[in-house]
Amino acid sequence: MAKVTIGFALGLILLGAVCFFAAEPEHRSPTAFIPSIDGVFILIGGLLALNPKHRMHAMHVAVLFGMLGLFAAVAGIIARRPHGLAMLDMGGMAVLTGVFSVMCVMSFIQARRNRLAQPGFPVGQSGPDRSS
């Protein structure tokens, strides 16, 4: 999932840059780079997740930024009702971060099922015993 995360991050970075540079010079706004900024944070999580030691925490950070990006994009669409390149920028960010977040949640569920199915995992226990 780390490589998929990097792919989505690069897509967001590219989306922001393309929308910024596609606009006429007098209509360019730095807010077009919002998907790129979110993509950079997701990219950091994806790169850290390449290390198996940091994978779980890094992917949780990446999906946190994915969900924040989704909420920000949807809120921006509702509040600003953009059109043209702004709609492409916000809508693309909403789609990319939404699909990414759903894929991450599905991956987390599958990882948990795999961990619980491992031989020797105590039945009825959801994780390490923290009662001591």
Side-chain angles (χ1 to χ4, degrees):
M1 191 68 195
K3 291 179 182 177
V4 172
T5 300
I6 293 169
F8 273 97
L10 293 176
L12 285 164
I13 293 167
L14 185 64
L15 173 68
V18 167
C19 287
F20 178 81
F21 290 110
E24 295 294 324
E26 63 273 4
H27 295 291
R28 288 182 181 159
S29 171
T31 59
F33 284 114
I34 291 173
S36 298
I37 294 167
D38 193 42
V40 167
F41 287 111
I42 294 171
L43 178 64
I44 291 168
L47 292 172
L48 289 172
L50 291 173
N51 181 344
K53 181 179 175 185
H54 303 297
R55 181 167 295 137
M56 184 175 71
H57 297 300
M59 286 305 301
H60 280 88
V61 169
V63 77
L64 169 70
F65 282 102
M67 294 182 98
L68 288 173
L70 173 62
F71 296 145
V74 170
I77 290 170
I78 291 169
R80 295 179 56 209
R81 298 175 197 214
H83 54 79
L85 281 174
M87 183 60 192
L88 176 66
D89 204 32
M90 289 180 168
M93 182 175 174
V95 169
L96 286 172
T97 55
V99 170
F100 172 68
S101 297
V102 168
M103 288 178 67
C104 282
V105 169
M106 290 171 46
S107 175
F108 294 165
I109 291 169
Q110 188 60 45
R112 181 157 180 89
R113 285 182 181 153
N114 291 344
R115 195 171 52 249
L116 291 173
Q118 287 179 352
F121 196 85
V123 177
Q125 188 173 345
S126 61
D129 184 21
R130 299 173 193 236
S131 60
S132 49

